[in-house]
Amino acid sequence: MKTTLIAIFILMIGGFVHGQELIPFKAVKLNEKWGFVDKTGKEVIALKYDSAENFKNGKAKVYSKQYATELYIDKTGQLAK
């Protein structure tokens, strides 16, 4: 049991490292919606997107049926340029 929990923890933390760049948040899906959690698992950007990719260079690509287009958001969840 302890070994399993350690393995899960390592896999979770591993999702926050991309090469040498630290990823601030990880994309997660719950009830068919995507959002972002920090390394402790706390929701930091609401689960409201129809798809999402992890952050890269300070931005994450998300898709919302509401806007029918791909968008980029910053670490605060605001639209990014």
PDB file of all heavy atoms in Angstrom, residues 29-33 47:
ATOM      1  N   LYS A  29      -9.302  16.342 -15.826  1.00  0.00           N
ATOM      2  CA  LYS A  29     -10.666  16.220 -16.325  1.00  0.00           C
ATOM      3  C   LYS A  29     -11.545  15.605 -15.240  1.00  0.00           C
ATOM      4  O   LYS A  29     -11.172  14.621 -14.613  1.00  0.00           O
ATOM      5  CB  LYS A  29     -10.701  15.332 -17.564  1.00  0.00           C
ATOM      6  CG  LYS A  29     -12.060  15.186 -18.188  1.00  0.00           C
ATOM      7  CD  LYS A  29     -11.974  14.326 -19.433  1.00  0.00           C
ATOM      8  CE  LYS A  29     -13.316  14.177 -20.096  1.00  0.00           C
ATOM      9  NZ  LYS A  29     -13.232  13.299 -21.280  1.00  0.00           N
ATOM     10  N   LEU A  30     -12.708  16.213 -15.035  1.00  0.00           N
ATOM     11  CA  LEU A  30     -13.680  15.701 -14.069  1.00  0.00           C
ATOM     12  C   LEU A  30     -15.064  16.010 -14.607  1.00  0.00           C
ATOM     13  O   LEU A  30     -15.342  17.157 -14.993  1.00  0.00           O
ATOM     14  CB  LEU A  30     -13.476  16.353 -12.695  1.00  0.00           C
ATOM     15  CG  LEU A  30     -14.418  15.907 -11.591  1.00  0.00           C
ATOM     16  CD1 LEU A  30     -14.199  14.424 -11.263  1.00  0.00           C
ATOM     17  CD2 LEU A  30     -14.211  16.743 -10.345  1.00  0.00           C
ATOM     18  N   ASN A  31     -15.928  15.012 -14.658  1.00  0.00           N
ATOM     19  CA  ASN A  31     -17.298  15.194 -15.151  1.00  0.00           C
ATOM     20  C   ASN A  31     -17.321  15.840 -16.528  1.00  0.00           C
ATOM     21  O   ASN A  31     -18.077  16.778 -16.787  1.00  0.00           O
ATOM     22  CB  ASN A  31     -18.146  15.991 -14.166  1.00  0.00           C
ATOM     23  CG  ASN A  31     -18.309  15.283 -12.847  1.00  0.00           C
ATOM     24  OD1 ASN A  31     -18.378  14.053 -12.800  1.00  0.00           O
ATOM     25  ND2 ASN A  31     -18.342  16.030 -11.770  1.00  0.00           N
ATOM     26  N   GLU A  32     -16.448  15.365 -17.423  1.00  0.00           N
ATOM     27  CA  GLU A  32     -16.385  15.810 -18.819  1.00  0.00           C
ATOM     28  C   GLU A  32     -15.898  17.241 -19.016  1.00  0.00           C
ATOM     29  O   GLU A  32     -15.990  17.784 -20.112  1.00  0.00           O
ATOM     30  CB  GLU A  32     -17.747  15.630 -19.512  1.00  0.00           C
ATOM     31  CG  GLU A  32     -18.274  14.218 -19.497  1.00  0.00           C
ATOM     32  CD  GLU A  32     -17.316  13.212 -20.139  1.00  0.00           C
ATOM     33  OE1 GLU A  32     -16.759  13.495 -21.206  1.00  0.00           O
ATOM     34  OE2 GLU A  32     -17.119  12.130 -19.549  1.00  0.00           O
ATOM     35  N   LYS A  33     -15.381  17.882 -17.985  1.00  0.00           N
ATOM     36  CA  LYS A  33     -14.830  19.233 -18.110  1.00  0.00           C
ATOM     37  C   LYS A  33     -13.381  19.239 -17.654  1.00  0.00           C
ATOM     38  O   LYS A  33     -12.990  18.495 -16.756  1.00  0.00           O
ATOM     39  CB  LYS A  33     -15.638  20.251 -17.292  1.00  0.00           C
ATOM     40  CG  LYS A  33     -17.020  20.508 -17.841  1.00  0.00           C
ATOM     41  CD  LYS A  33     -16.953  21.160 -19.217  1.00  0.00           C
ATOM     42  CE  LYS A  33     -18.320  21.449 -19.762  1.00  0.00           C
ATOM     43  NZ  LYS A  33     -18.279  22.108 -21.061  1.00  0.00           N
ATOM     44  N   LEU A  47     -12.727  23.963 -13.691  1.00  0.00           N
ATOM     45  CA  LEU A  47     -12.959  22.890 -14.649  1.00  0.00           C
ATOM     46  C   LEU A  47     -14.166  23.285 -15.496  1.00  0.00           C
ATOM     47  O   LEU A  47     -15.310  22.959 -15.181  1.00  0.00           O
ATOM     48  CB  LEU A  47     -13.214  21.568 -13.922  1.00  0.00           C
ATOM     49  CG  LEU A  47     -11.976  20.987 -13.262  1.00  0.00           C
ATOM     50  CD1 LEU A  47     -11.914  21.342 -11.805  1.00  0.00           C
ATOM     51  CD2 LEU A  47     -11.936  19.506 -13.474  1.00  0.00           C
TER      52      LEU A  47
END
